[in-house]
Amino acid sequence: MKKRNVSRRELLGASTLVGATAIGALAAPPVLAQAPTVIKMQSSWPASDIWMDFARQYVERVERMSGGRLKFELMPAGTVVGAFQVLDGVNDGVIDAAHTVPVYWYGKHKAASLFGTGPVFGGSATTMLGWFHQGGGKDLYRELTQDIMGLNLYGFYGFPMPAQPFGWFKNPVATVNDVNGLKYRTVGLAADLMQNIGMSVAQLPGGEIVPAMERGVIDAFEFNNPSSDLRFGSQDVAKNYILSSYHQASESFEFLFNKDVFDDLPDDLQAILEYGVEAASTANTASAMDNYSSDLQKLQTEHGVTVHRTPKEILDAQLKAWDEIIPTLEADAFMKKVLDSQRQWVERVVYYELMNSADLALAYEHYFPGKLNLGK
């Protein structure tokens, strides 16, 4: 084998590289492992509810995106504070964060409901989440929570929920007279709405609903979706499940963070906490589509539940009730500003959505004839 002559340039380059490596090794300080920042987050949901699964999807994504620099202690409702008290808990620093919905602090300011259970004027939850991010809702939310209420927190929104069912009834209902006088569970402005059509309303956390039904404290109720309702045992206390309603057609999850805790984090971790909500929103939506639909089938086939659609007479009565409620809300200047902003957004965006969307019911009936009964 012919011996290769190494050039002077190659020798100098090699020696320089070795020297630089050695010097770098001597000069580099030891890398110390840094303990992760632990975020104590409580939800407003029982440990067994599917919404705790949705909260876990957020936690898992944030922890992974942060490379382990953020860790969560995720707790169900009641661990530190009550389901309806998480806003106070975050504001006071008793917990660092919360996974909840704004309607749960409706008692502090009615405008909370406009960010989750307002009249929405024909917009879906996706429409209204778009309003929050692109239509001015985020700035109005900051004005409410920080300027008007003086709260020491930030809130982010994700997961546009399917419209909530009218709920669970012991007997089918066809007219407004059928629901008149019933003791009914709901929350937020939906309480005002249902009272307007003649119902007597109790506002209860999710975990208290079925026991209240068993004791006769309430006659009918709604929570949110087929999966939560199945896990609560709703099918054990009523067999008529009525879908479609205007009482809560636009809700999204609210992710609350104590302002001091959030502001102490470096910019990249703040961004991960905020935009992790958007990542979880997609994951939550996919999971909801899967679980809500399969659990609705289980309620029908395994538990003898009859699924109905809310009769048009009751839907019309709900809209007329909103017509009476809205002027009372608009007596508050801030609430009028929010409602005006929502109307402006919905008028433009929903016009596009409705004009552009295909008739899904027509296509479904074409491919799966006889399954769909939308009523009149």
Side-chain angles (χ1 to χ4, degrees):
M1 180 185 298
K2 185 176 179 181
K3 187 174 181 181
R4 176 175 175 267
N5 291 323
V6 180
S7 71
R8 181 172 180 272
R9 177 175 292 180
E10 288 174 314
L11 284 170
L12 287 172
S15 64
T16 301
L17 179 62
V18 172
T21 302
I23 292 169
L26 290 171
V31 177
L32 299 177
Q34 189 173 11
T37 298
V38 178
I39 305 289
K40 293 183 178 180
M41 172 181 270
Q42 186 191 297
S43 81
S44 292
W45 329 123
S48 61
D49 188 57
I50 191 171
W51 284 0
M52 279 297 286
D53 297 340
F54 291 172
R56 290 185 194 99
Q57 288 184 318
Y58 172 73
V59 165
E60 290 163 0
R61 280 155 179 76
V62 166
E63 288 184 349
R64 185 168 179 184
M65 287 189 288
S66 74
R69 293 160 62 204
L70 288 173
K71 293 289 183 182
F72 280 80
E73 182 183 342
L74 179 61
M75 302 167 285
T79 303
V80 180
V81 295
F84 285 4
Q85 279 73 53
V86 293
L87 180 92
D88 288 333
V90 173
N91 179 64
D92 297 339
V94 177
I95 51 178
D96 302 323
H99 187 267
T100 187
V101 286
V103 69
Y104 279 6
W105 49 274
Y106 152 92
K108 295 185 177 296
H109 199 299
K110 277 198 171 186
S113 253
L114 300 183
F115 294 88
T117 58
V120 307
F121 311 107
S124 68
T126 300
T127 308
M128 302 317 292
L129 187 58
W131 166 78
F132 184 83
H133 286 287
Q134 293 290 327
K138 187 181 297 185
D139 290 337
L140 290 165
Y141 176 85
R142 184 207 56 75
E143 182 179 348
L144 172 64
T145 55
Q146 297 187 25
D147 298 346
I148 296 175
M149 300 178 67
L151 298 175
N152 188 44
L153 53 78
Y154 299 116
F156 308 113
Y157 277 59
F159 177 47
M161 300 178 189
Q164 297 183 24
F166 188 37
W168 292 84
F169 294 78
K170 293 179 180 178
N171 300 301
V173 298
T175 68
V176 174
N177 285 337
D178 292 335
V179 301
N180 186 48
L182 290 182
K183 294 175 289 186
Y184 178 84
R185 181 272 177 193
T186 190
V187 289
L189 282 175
D192 298 17
L193 183 77
M194 297 311 185
Q195 285 172 177
N196 189 287
I197 65 172
M199 304 176 91
S200 173
V201 176
Q203 302 200 42
L204 302 171
E208 298 178 20
I209 296 172
V210 168
M213 190 81 164
E214 290 173 329
R215 298 194 310 271
V217 175
I218 54 175
D219 304 312
F221 63 90
E222 61 80 38
F223 178 68
N224 185 275
N225 65 82
S227 297
S228 293
D229 291 348
L230 176 64
R231 295 188 191 192
F232 282 153
S234 304
Q235 67 278 4
D236 298 328
V237 293
K239 293 297 183 184
N240 291 279
Y241 193 27
I242 305 178
L243 305 184
S244 174
S245 180
Y246 291 126
H247 74 284
Q248 286 179 286
S250 67
E251 200 163 23
S252 293
F253 284 141
E254 181 182 41
F255 296 72
L256 296 174
F257 292 91
N258 178 273
K259 190 173 184 293
D260 297 330
V261 170
F262 190 90
D263 286 345
D264 280 346
L265 294 171
D267 289 347
D268 64 327
L269 294 185
Q270 290 181 10
I272 288 170
L273 286 177
E274 179 176 358
Y275 298 119
V277 172
E278 297 180 10
S281 186
T282 299
N284 291 170
T285 299
S287 183
M289 292 287 186
D290 182 21
N291 285 278
Y292 292 4
S293 60
S294 61
D295 286 336
L296 184 64
Q297 286 189 341
K298 288 178 186 175
L299 288 168
Q300 293 171 283
T301 59
E302 298 177 19
H303 299 282
V305 171
T306 302
V307 174
H308 312 265
R309 296 246 314 166
T310 302
K312 186 176 184 298
E313 179 183 321
I314 294 176
L315 292 175
D316 287 340
Q318 289 181 351
L319 291 177
K320 291 174 183 175
W322 277 126
D323 289 344
E324 295 181 12
I325 292 168
I326 289 169
T328 68
L329 302 177
E330 292 182 328
D332 177 276
F334 175 76
M335 295 184 77
K336 185 175 189 312
K337 181 162 65 170
V338 174
L339 288 164
D340 284 344
S341 174
Q342 291 179 336
R343 269 189 291 253
Q344 184 179 25
W345 175 264
V346 169
E347 184 177 13
R348 172 168 59 88
V349 173
V350 175
Y351 175 82
Y352 161 73
E353 290 181 313
L354 293 176
M355 290 296 288
N356 185 64
S357 61
D359 187 334
L360 301 182
L362 179 65
Y364 187 90
E365 180 65 24
H366 176 80
Y367 290 107
F368 309 103
K371 290 184 66 71
L372 202 60
N373 179 17
L374 295 181
K376 295 181 180 179

